[in-house]
Amino acid sequence: MRSELFSAENLEKESAQPGMRLQNSKMLKIRLNGEAMARVGSMVAYQGHVQFQALGSGGLGKFLKQKLTGEGVPLMKLTGQGDVFLADFAKDVHVIDLEPGDALSINGSSVLAFDPTLQYDIRMVGGTGMAASGLFNCIFTGYGRIAITTKGAPVVLSVDAPTYVDPQAIVCWSANLQTGYHRAEQFGLGTLLGRRTGEAFTMSFAGQGFVVVQPSEEPPVAGSGQQEQSGGLGSLFS
């Protein structure tokens, strides 16, 4: 049988060492030898002896925070030996290595998988407070790898000057950055007449670090119970 489908770029990427690697730009491969954490429903194929256990948000404390804030990661634990392939609606997949001292703030909706050596918590984003109805995000720390997704090829902004980003396009950022919110749209006669730019608020970043922005804005979702589909940022500035 012959087809371009069977070209080398589409064949399974072999890996001798356990852990995460990109199968392609849309799919993650985990060479499992023990445990890994993944987003519920993200498995598209596996080979070997693998068990899947639903964990909710990853514990009672995170479950309660998720219910209160609408932010979090619906998790399943992968256990066993084999190859597991993960994807999320053909979004682009990126792998980040975290080292001791690193901290990553990320929308729960952008988390695909992570090593069990990483810890995460749901925290309020500093500088937003009641003005943004309480902005919450997931903070990952520890040593290990995390796979994240973006809708399209992202831009990584180096925050070496005051930086402002549409909150519905933010994927993640260095958790050491100082954050706040900024009224981007100027109030005037046009606003009174109903003419709006569609950019009423932005998130501000200062310090030394990076912000990852995707070329797609998450649509606002009404109701905290549905926010896990769009992440903690998606409906805050609508």
Side-chain angles (χ1 to χ4, degrees), residues 2 6 13 23 32 110 147-148 172 180 187 194 205 211 216 232-233 235-236:
R2 298 178 181 177
F6 305 119
K13 301 296 188 297
Q23 168 63 28
L32 190 64
S110 298
I148 71 171
C172 61
F187 184 82
F205 297 89
V211 181
S216 175
L233 299 172
S235 61
L236 292 169

Side-chain angles (χ1 to χ4, degrees), residues 59-185:
L60 179 60
K62 294 186 183 69
F63 171 79
L64 294 175
K65 287 184 180 180
Q66 182 177 22
K67 290 301 180 183
L68 290 171
T69 66
E71 176 61 38
V73 187
L75 291 174
M76 60 181 178
K77 181 168 69 172
L78 317 179
T79 308
Q81 288 78 38
D83 296 328
V84 183
F85 298 86
L86 306 175
D88 186 14
F89 294 99
K91 296 177 183 177
D92 290 342
V93 181
H94 314 271
V95 177
I96 301 174
D97 290 285
L98 269 67
E99 299 180 348
D102 291 341
L104 181 71
S105 182
I106 182 170
N107 287 349
S109 62
S110 298
V111 176
L112 181 62
F114 57 93
D115 289 336
T117 53
L118 294 179
Q119 298 83 45
Y120 97 93
D121 196 9
I122 301 170
R123 301 178 191 170
M124 178 177 283
V125 176
T128 57
M130 296 303 294
S133 301
L135 172 59
F136 296 86
N137 235 25
C138 296
I139 307 294
F140 280 82
T141 57
Y143 179 82
R145 284 191 146 189
I146 179 172
I148 71 171
T149 59
T150 63
K151 290 184 176 180
V155 59
V156 180
L157 301 176
S158 179
V159 183
D160 49 12
T163 301
Y164 304 91
V165 181
D166 186 323
Q168 294 173 337
I170 300 171
V171 177
C172 61
W173 65 85
S174 306
N176 62 293
L177 290 174
Q178 291 81 54
T179 56
Y181 88 104
H182 173 73
R183 183 181 291 275
E185 189 174 69

